[in-house]
Amino acid sequence: MNRILVKKELAPKIKLIEFENRDIASKAKPGQFVVIQMGEKGERFPLTISGIDPGKGMVRVIFNEVGKSSKRLGALAEGEEIGNVAGPLGNPAEIEKFGTVLCFGGGVMTGPMAYEAAAFKKAGNRVITVIGARNKELLILKDEMNALSDKLYVSTDDGSEGYKGLDFLRDILEGEKVDRVIGMSVATATLRTLCELTRPYGVKTIVSLTPIMLDGTGMCGVCRVVVGGQTKFACVDGPEFDGHLVDWDLLESRKRVYSHEERVSTLLDEQVGKDCASRFQQTRK
Amino acid sequence: MCIPLPANKKVAMPEKLKLNSIPMNKQPPEVRRRNPYEVAQGYTYEQAVEEAKRCIQCKKPACIQGCPVDIDIPSFVKALAEGDLPQAAKIIYGTNTLPAICGRVCPQETQCQENCTLGKKGDPVFIGRLERFVADWARENPEESGIFKIALPKPTGKKVAIIGSGPAGLTCASDLAKAGHKVVIYEALHLAGGVAVYGIPEFRLPKKIVQAEIDYLVNVLGVELKRNQVVGRSATLDELLADGYHSIFLGIGAGAPMFLNIPGENSNMVYSANEFLVRLNLMKAYLFPAYDTPVKVGKRVAVVGAGNVAMDAARWAVRMGADEVYIVYRRTEAEMPARIEEVENAREEGVIFKVLTLPVRVIPSAHGSVEAIECVQMELGEPDESGRRRPIVKPGSEFCMEIDTLIPALGTQPNPLVPRQTPDLKTTSRGTVVADEKGKTTKEKVWAGGDIVTGAATVISAMGAGRRAATDIDARLKNHS
């Protein structure tokens, strides 16, 4: 179970992994996520699903190697197994024929956005996609997105490719009627910017939120977000919500709670890992 | 299942009633405040036999009636008093596959021990401690105890899916496996045990004991365990039935946390008791960074509520190095739902009880972390529907408590995942699943038991429900062969 079939590096520190899990592959829908645990001492962390192949029993995830767990996941080789994977979790995205749908995928979340955009296309929508990254080296899935979109725009924070920032979206929204906007990014600030851009145009903007999660099944409430003044659990009530109703300050603050511990854990792992490796080499000499 | 008392053998009555129980060794408070190890250390063999000898072997044993799983208590106690540990183990395991858990966490004082005849004059026989002793001995001495050598009946060819591997599911699974049915347990988390692994702390119930009881089910009774399976998402009940299961038992518990619903409650460092306990128990955050999941505990911690879960959270906070830990409760000590023993343990460890107090607002700092809670004083009025006196706000009694960690432990409600996906499963307005006394739900071939039916209750009552459902499922499966 959970054997890695394909592993690719899409950009520096951005990896794609396709693993075998027939239960998840037969059930997953765009917008849902899996919770992964690397080994019995590992933390449980969510990854939004980037695609499936029910025939092969394949599930695709794309992730940034930023912390201890994601680095360990990225270090697995094809043929190796991921310890624990639970899913699909969360509610599937609302896929309907809305008319014109603008799909924004930032960074690694371009992966799940591609999966969801394809579903919007299949449902008969005109699909405009925007892929974004900090710089051109970190852009991923451009060709895939281009193939499934009616129109593709590229945006980078530093302007090294495509438009600089997201302000150009105003021109799109003024230029044509967009019926729905979908935003995915682990950078909460980017999603917030997107929602502020679309708000004046009154276009319903759905965002996939990525708060801290623990079990991912509605048991702990660490992922609580406030949407329209109501407390919601992103894991069971989301993860997609109306972005114009999200309390962004709260989300940003809650996402930072454990950043110190995450850094400690990652640094320690790197340091201890290196020490062990060098000691091991010394003993072999 | 019950092994009857030998008919003609007269049990020698002790000449004089021994009214005082044998005390059990505990880690002293100043030591256990700083470690995660089990507080109660259990009886030695001599202590256990001595305590067992106190039992007067009533002709009509009232203790059994107090036991939700009908353990033949006088018989196992007699065997223990005679030093026949294998026999004692055989009797217990005959009706209870989780005795090491029950011996530790059952509220015996309101069940078997409450009915003990000796208890009317002195201390009751401490049945829980005896059960624990026998279970621990049996697990550590599998050869001698013979608990692993049980003959399973011929397979019936019937398949049952158990959803949830908590106390209800495990008990139902074990009874059905012993009846010869093929049993598959679906567990959403990466570890089986339900509340016994994510809810009850190491210092009350060591996780290796839970693991051993689950290993018993899997290795000895042949139960299949599927982890990481979130039924409701990964498969619906109808899909499982279509997949060839003849019956389903839902033991999915009451896993969704409740909050106070007061302003500021989403501030950082406000944990649901569930989150706090999941981090510490399931994910072993007390071992961070050796384990990856961290938990932040401040210096002044307030736990709101006074059930067992509240005590567990408060006692973990003490162990994690908090300077001051408060139990904030809107009624008085007399109304606390926690076991008296746990309240005493908490107090010994330095937990401070602030009763007749209700938080009304969380005051966050500029960084979004809890800095204080505004509370009001309460007084007790007329009894409410629960029979307890209703707390009423004292006007003008507002005051602030400066704290940096807030843990609402107000109980849990059923997780709506499965009911939402199963429209023909009738639920109440509280979200619990409607089931009759045998656990049969409104949906064909589906039974339910434990917290998902009753709302948050005890391990042993969930086990009793699992057992009753297993009996009914077994009867139906046998009738429809």
Side-chain angles (χ1 to χ4, degrees), chain B residues 211-351:
Chain B
Q211 192 52 51
E213 307 250 42
I214 288 158
D215 290 346
Y216 179 79
L217 248 71
V218 172
N219 299 333
V220 179
L221 301 181
V223 170
E224 188 183 336
L225 176 62
K226 291 185 176 220
R227 298 170 302 117
N228 300 311
Q229 301 280 329
V230 188
V231 170
R233 293 279 189 215
S234 55
T236 63
L237 300 189
D238 285 322
E239 284 167 339
L240 290 175
L241 289 172
D243 218 26
Y245 286 104
H246 298 92
S247 306
I248 294 177
F249 175 77
L250 273 183
I252 51 178
M258 294 202 274
F259 287 91
L260 287 153
N261 295 319
I262 57 175
E265 206 173 9
N266 294 322
S267 306
N268 291 329
M269 300 301 283
V270 181
Y271 294 94
S272 73
N274 258 19
E275 182 195 342
F276 193 65
L277 293 176
V278 165
R279 281 183 185 274
L280 284 156
N281 299 329
L282 179 73
M283 307 309 294
K284 298 204 185 322
Y286 62 96
L287 296 173
F288 177 85
Y291 279 68
D292 292 349
T293 306
V295 64
K296 269 193 170 146
V297 183
K299 290 292 165 201
R300 292 168 60 92
V301 179
V303 179
V304 185
N308 288 321
V309 171
M311 300 304 146
D312 288 346
R315 295 172 68 197
W316 256 133
V318 168
R319 284 160 176 74
M320 295 303 292
D323 292 336
E324 286 170 40
V325 179
Y326 296 92
I327 286 280
V328 177
Y329 183 47
R330 62 193 181 125
R331 303 184 203 241
T332 68
E333 214 163 309
E335 289 85 19
M336 287 187 181
R339 292 179 70 187
I340 296 163
E341 188 185 334
E342 301 307 336
V343 175
E344 278 315 308
N345 279 333
R347 197 191 310 277
E348 283 173 17
E349 288 162 15
V351 172

Side-chain angles (χ1 to χ4, degrees), chain B residues 104-226:
Chain B
R104 287 172 167 82
V105 303
C106 272
Q108 291 103 5
E109 63 279 6
T110 60
Q111 296 180 338
C112 51
Q113 287 170 202
E114 185 176 42
N115 296 351
C116 178
T117 311
L118 273 184
K120 286 171 190 144
K121 291 189 171 171
D123 295 335
V125 175
F126 274 79
I127 299 162
R129 297 174 185 176
L130 299 180
E131 182 184 25
R132 167 184 169 158
F133 174 79
V134 175
D136 287 354
W137 173 83
R139 190 182 61 254
E140 284 156 22
N141 301 278
E143 284 300 313
E144 272 179 86
S145 66
I147 54 164
F148 294 130
K149 286 180 227 139
I150 75 158
L152 290 173
K154 204 169 127 265
T156 60
K158 297 287 159 88
K159 241 172 101 178
V160 183
I162 308 280
I163 320 301
S165 66
L170 292 178
T171 306
C172 190
S174 106
D175 282 9
L176 289 169
K178 283 180 188 167
H181 306 299
K182 166 77 186 155
V183 178
V184 182
I185 300 181
Y186 289 78
E187 167 55 46
L189 294 170
H190 59 278
L191 285 178
V195 74
V197 291
Y198 76 74
I200 303 174
E202 181 74 15
F203 53 80
R204 278 216 289 143
L205 178 62
K207 298 308 149 223
K208 68 165 202 253
I209 285 165
V210 181
Q211 192 52 51
E213 307 250 42
I214 288 158
D215 290 346
Y216 179 79
L217 248 71
V218 172
N219 299 333
V220 179
L221 301 181
V223 170
E224 188 183 336
L225 176 62
K226 291 185 176 220

Side-chain angles (χ1 to χ4, degrees), chain A residues 107-125:
Chain A
V108 285
M109 290 293 267
T110 308
M113 193 70 253
Y115 179 32
E116 197 166 317
F120 277 117
K121 184 73 201 164
K122 204 176 160 197
N125 293 284

Side-chain angles (χ1 to χ4, degrees), chain A residues 161-211:
Chain A
E161 186 170 338
Y163 291 92
K164 186 170 193 282
L166 290 177
D167 289 344
F168 75 98
L169 291 178
R170 286 203 187 92
D171 299 334
I172 302 178
L173 292 167
E174 293 199 354
E176 65 179 302
K177 185 174 170 286
V178 173
D179 299 288
R180 182 164 284 222
V181 174
I182 316 288
M184 288 191 178
S185 171
V186 285
T188 305
T190 307
L191 286 186
R192 185 177 193 163
T193 306
L194 175 75
C195 291
E196 291 318 316
L197 274 166
T198 61
R199 194 190 297 274
Y201 300 94
V203 187
K204 187 148 185 178
T205 303
I206 303 295
V207 287
S208 180
L209 301 183
T210 51

Side-chain angles (χ1 to χ4, degrees), chain B residues 33 42 107 227 230 250 253 269 320 378 380 393 420 434 454:
Chain B
R33 289 185 83 226
R227 298 170 302 117
V230 188
L250 273 183
M269 300 301 283
M320 295 303 292
M378 312 292 282
L380 291 184
V393 177
R420 266 188 208 163
V434 176
T454 57

